Amino acid sequence: MKSDAYNAKQPERRAGLIAGVAILVFLLMELPVRLVLQPDPWLLQAQHWYFNQPLRLVIELTLVVALLAVMVFCYPTLLKVKRNQLSLLAGSMLASALLFGLLEAEQLIHSFSAGLWLWLAWFFSGFFIGIGQELLYRGLLFTSFQRYMSLGLATAITTILFVIAPLHSLRLWQYLQQEQFTLVAILIAIYIGVSLLFQWLRNHTGNVMVPALVHGVGNAVTWVAVFA
């Protein structure tokens, strides 16, 4: 009897362990790793090492590969895009590219004069960062939270943490110090809106790669427009 009860609890204990590992990886990636290796480019001088194109691109790709490896260990089923979801994925990626392209239309046009290598380096840097954020937030964090709380509460906490993430909050704090309150409010509204959109895609499709790719495309367009 005791052996049966122990065996019955094994899957639950394993799931709890996986959730704990996922949250720990999230904390490591989003705090020390992101703060040291992925500073906010909007706050840096052009001479900062982060603007070294090959180095930055390798760093972003390495982080995404590491996160994919963790996802394969923790939640492998979340990485599988079903065939009937491909049209939603393609349409959402196109809409994301068009939306952010229109928002940054003038700068985006000028970005093509930067040269192909520089343009591609910024494009893929932004793309990888978008994928990494989704693997962290809608992948590791939200999925782990959902084990211990309701869908709504897990969504709310994930969204709040997404808004105050180092890649966002450092910029918000600088703007607050400059008393640019309207800009801060607009950015917070944008972060909340896109977070809820990515969360909807995650819930609707049952995988994290759809929101990851949509986020990646939007990020990529913004980065080439602003930095290239």
Side-chain angles (χ1 to χ4, degrees):
M1 293 291 291
K2 288 184 178 180
S3 177
D4 291 342
Y6 176 81
N7 291 332
K9 289 182 179 179
Q10 281 298 93
E12 184 178 347
R13 289 175 179 172
R14 184 176 184 278
L17 176 62
I18 288 175
V21 169
I23 292 174
L24 177 61
V25 171
F26 167 82
L27 291 173
L28 289 173
M29 282 285 188
E30 194 61 5
L31 293 175
V33 173
R34 189 178 293 279
L35 287 174
V36 173
L37 295 181
Q38 284 189 305
D40 187 339
W42 274 264
L43 306 181
L44 302 177
Q45 299 296 323
Q47 296 77 21
H48 194 278
W49 67 264
Y50 188 71
F51 289 89
N52 183 325
Q53 307 300 329
L55 178 61
R56 187 188 66 256
L57 194 54
V58 169
I59 287 173
E60 305 301 353
L61 177 59
T62 301
L63 291 178
V64 169
V65 170
L67 285 169
L68 283 171
V70 175
M71 284 294 299
V72 169
F73 171 76
C74 292
Y75 306 115
T77 58
L78 294 180
L79 299 175
K80 299 176 181 178
V81 180
K82 298 177 182 177
R83 183 174 298 180
N84 62 0
Q85 297 170 349
L86 292 177
S87 58
L88 173 63
L89 172 60
S92 298
M93 290 176 68
L94 178 61
S96 180
L98 289 174
L99 173 61
F100 287 97
L102 289 173
L103 290 174
E104 306 287 352
E106 186 175 351
Q107 294 185 87
L108 184 61
I109 292 172
H110 289 302
S111 74
F112 292 103
S113 64
L116 180 62
W117 161 245
L118 188 63
W119 196 94
L120 289 175
W122 278 116
F123 182 92
F124 283 108
S125 294
F127 184 70
F128 291 141
I129 285 180
I131 290 177
Q133 283 190 297
E134 291 309 302
L135 293 176
L136 280 169
Y137 284 89
R138 258 58 63 173
L140 297 177
L141 187 65
F142 171 78
T143 309
S144 300
F145 279 169
Q146 198 177 16
R147 171 173 169 75
Y148 302 106
M149 60 190 71
S150 67
L151 173 68
L153 185 57
T155 297
I157 294 176
T158 301
T159 299
I160 291 171
L161 291 175
F162 182 78
V163 172
I164 63 175
L167 201 59
H168 298 150
S169 60
L170 294 177
R171 198 182 327 162
L172 293 175
W173 176 246
Q174 185 182 68
Y175 291 153
L176 279 174
Q177 290 180 311
Q178 297 170 359
E179 298 185 354
Q180 299 186 47
F181 303 120
T182 301
L183 180 57
V184 170
I186 291 173
L187 286 174
I188 290 176
I190 291 173
Y191 295 151
I192 292 174
V194 296
S195 180
L196 293 176
L197 171 62
F198 298 142
Q199 186 65 56
W200 179 83
L201 287 171
R202 158 71 173 81
N203 296 343
H204 183 71
T205 61
N207 72 71
V208 73
M209 289 311 300
V210 170
L213 293 171
V214 174
H215 191 164
V217 168
N219 251 32
V221 172
T222 301
W223 280 53
V224 294
V226 173
F227 296 115

